C-alpha cells in the first residue's frame, strides 16, 4: 500500500513537471493572444465590491469553433475572465479545469487507462496552474475540495463553469452541477455570476462581451438553492 502511494506521488510529481515545462508556457502564449481581443465589460461595479477578498466566479462556458482548440480542451473564455478580473481589481484566479478529456488523454492514455493515469494528469493540471476536476466514469475527485481550500488560503479566487461542459451559446436549460455551491459554502465565498459570449475563436480582434452579474451570498442557503441562484444570475447577466 505504501509503495502504491509513493508511486502515485511520483507520478503526480512527474505530471507537475510536465505541466510546468510544457503546458504552462503554451497557456501564457494563449493569455497574450487574448490581450488583443476586443472585450466589452459590463457590471464591473459588481466585481469592485469584492476587491481585497476571495470569491468564486461561476460562468457559462463557450465551445470553440476551431477543431484544434476543441480537441485541446482550450477555450479563450477562462483566460479572458482571468485577465479582466486581474485588470479590474488585481485578484488572482485559480481555474477549475477538466483533466480527463481532450486528445492527449484519450489518445495517449486511452479511456481504460484514464483512472490509472489520474495522478499524472492531476499533476500536469496543477503544474500548469489549474485545479483539476474529473468527470469520466471511474474517476475520483476526493482532492478537489481540499485543492480549492488550499487555493483560497493562498490568496486566490476560484473560477468554475457550473454546467461542466461548453456550448456554442449559453443554454440555461442544461444542467447546473452543485460543485460551485459546495465550494462557496465550504470556504464562505461570495459568488459572482458571469455571462460571456463571442469568444468561440482565437482570432486577433475577436469581439467579446463579458458581464459581471449581481453578487450572491451563499451563507445560510442550501446547495440546491445556491445552484438555482447561480443559474438565474447568469441568465440575468445575459440579458
Amino acid at each position: 500500500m505504501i509503495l502504491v502511494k509513493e508511486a502515485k506521488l511520483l507520478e503526480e510529481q512527474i505530471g507537475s513537471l510536465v505541466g510546468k515545462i510544457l503546458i504552462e508556457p503554451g497557456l501564457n502564449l494563449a493569455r497574450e493572444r487574448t490581450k488583443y481581443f476586443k472585450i466589452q465589460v459590463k457590471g464591473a461595479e459588481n466585481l469592485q465590491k469584492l476587491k481585497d477578498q476571495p470569491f468564486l466566479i461561476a460562468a457559462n462556458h463557450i465551445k470553440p469553433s476551431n477543431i484544434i482548440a476543441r480537441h485541446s480542451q482550450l477555450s479563450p473564455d477562462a483566460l479572458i475572465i482571468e485577465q479582466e478580473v486581474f485588470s479590474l481589481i488585481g485578484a488572482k484566479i485559480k481555474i477549475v479545469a477538466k483533466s480527463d478529456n481532450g486528445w492527449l488523454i484519450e489518445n495517449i492514455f486511452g479511456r481504460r487507462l484514464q483512472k490509472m493515469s489520474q495522478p499524472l494528469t492531476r499533476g500536469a493540471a496543477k503544474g500548469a496552474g489549474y485545479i483539476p476536476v474529473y468527470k469520466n466514469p471511474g474517476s475520483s475527485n476526493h482532492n478537489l475540495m481540499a485543492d480549492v481550500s488550499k487555493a483560497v488560503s493562498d490568496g486566490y479566487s476560484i473560477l468554475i463553469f457550473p454546467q461542466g461542459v461548453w456550448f456554442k451559446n449559453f443554454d440555461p436549460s442544461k444542467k447546473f452541477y452543485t460543485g460551485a455551491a459546495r465550494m462557496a459554502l465550504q470556504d464562505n465565498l461570495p459568488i459572482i455570476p458571469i455571462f460571456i459570449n463571442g469568444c468561440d475563436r482565437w482570432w486577433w480582434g475577436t469581439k467579446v462581451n463579458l458581464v459581471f452579474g449581481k453578487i450572491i451570498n451563499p451563507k445560510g442557503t442550501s446547495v440546491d438553492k445556491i445552484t438555482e441562484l447561480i443559474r438565474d444570475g447568469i441568465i440575468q447577466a445575459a440579458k
Side-chain angles (χ1 to χ4, degrees):
M1 189 66 178
I2 295 175
L3 290 177
V4 172
K5 288 183 178 180
E6 290 179 347
K8 287 184 177 180
L9 179 59
L10 178 60
E11 190 176 347
E12 184 172 328
Q13 290 171 341
I14 292 171
S16 180
L17 192 61
V18 170
K20 192 72 176 176
I21 294 175
L22 297 181
I23 302 175
E24 188 178 39
L27 287 172
N28 288 336
L29 289 175
R31 287 184 176 97
E32 286 299 314
R33 194 175 186 92
T34 63
K35 292 178 180 179
Y36 296 94
F37 288 9
K38 295 180 179 179
I39 303 170
Q40 182 178 22
V41 176
K42 294 182 180 179
E45 66 278 5
N46 294 322
L47 181 66
Q48 290 288 345
K49 296 174 184 177
L50 298 173
K51 191 173 182 179
D52 300 325
Q53 65 174 302
F55 53 89
L56 184 143
I57 296 169
N60 64 301
H61 200 9
I62 299 296
K63 182 177 182 178
S65 57
N66 182 277
I67 191 169
I68 296 175
R70 290 203 301 272
H71 279 305
S72 68
Q73 294 291 299
L74 185 59
S75 172
D77 53 11
L79 302 183
I80 290 169
I81 293 170
E82 177 189 55
Q83 167 191 308
E84 291 302 316
V85 167
F86 184 79
S87 175
L88 288 165
I89 63 171
K92 299 181 296 180
I93 300 295
K94 280 284 185 182
I95 302 165
V96 178
K98 287 185 294 184
S99 300
D100 57 0
N101 293 99
W103 185 92
L104 178 66
I105 301 301
E106 294 177 4
N107 290 274
I108 301 301
F109 297 109
R111 290 189 179 276
R112 292 184 180 180
L113 296 178
Q114 283 183 15
K115 187 175 181 181
M116 293 174 61
S117 68
Q118 188 164 315
L120 183 64
T121 56
R122 170 179 161 80
K126 294 182 76 173
Y130 288 145
I131 296 175
V133 64
Y134 298 89
K135 291 189 62 185
N136 289 344
S139 296
S140 169
N141 281 303
H142 64 272
N143 293 305
L144 176 59
M145 301 302 282
D147 287 344
V148 169
S149 286
K150 176 65 165 55
V152 172
S153 68
D154 287 343
Y156 289 90
S157 291
I158 306 298
L159 166 59
I160 187 171
F161 299 105
Q163 289 182 297
V165 293
W166 53 24
F167 302 96
K168 183 177 180 180
N169 297 298
F170 173 48
D171 186 349
S173 70
K174 300 298 183 181
K175 181 176 180 178
F176 278 72
Y177 292 90
T178 60
R182 295 179 190 279
M183 292 172 189
L185 285 171
Q186 171 187 262
D187 291 291
N188 194 28
L189 300 173
I191 303 165
I192 185 160
I194 282 183
F195 170 73
I196 186 169
N197 73 345
C199 52
D200 63 341
R201 62 198 67 194
W202 284 95
W203 297 347
W204 287 30
T206 293
K207 294 181 179 179
V208 179
N209 294 311
L210 177 63
V211 183
F212 295 97
K214 294 182 179 179
I215 297 168
I216 300 166
N217 181 2
K219 190 173 182 180
T221 310
S222 71
V223 166
D224 288 341
K225 181 60 177 178
I226 295 169
T227 303
E228 182 182 337
L229 291 172
I230 289 172
R231 174 184 175 275
D232 292 345
I234 298 176
I235 290 173
Q236 288 300 316
K239 291 182 177 179

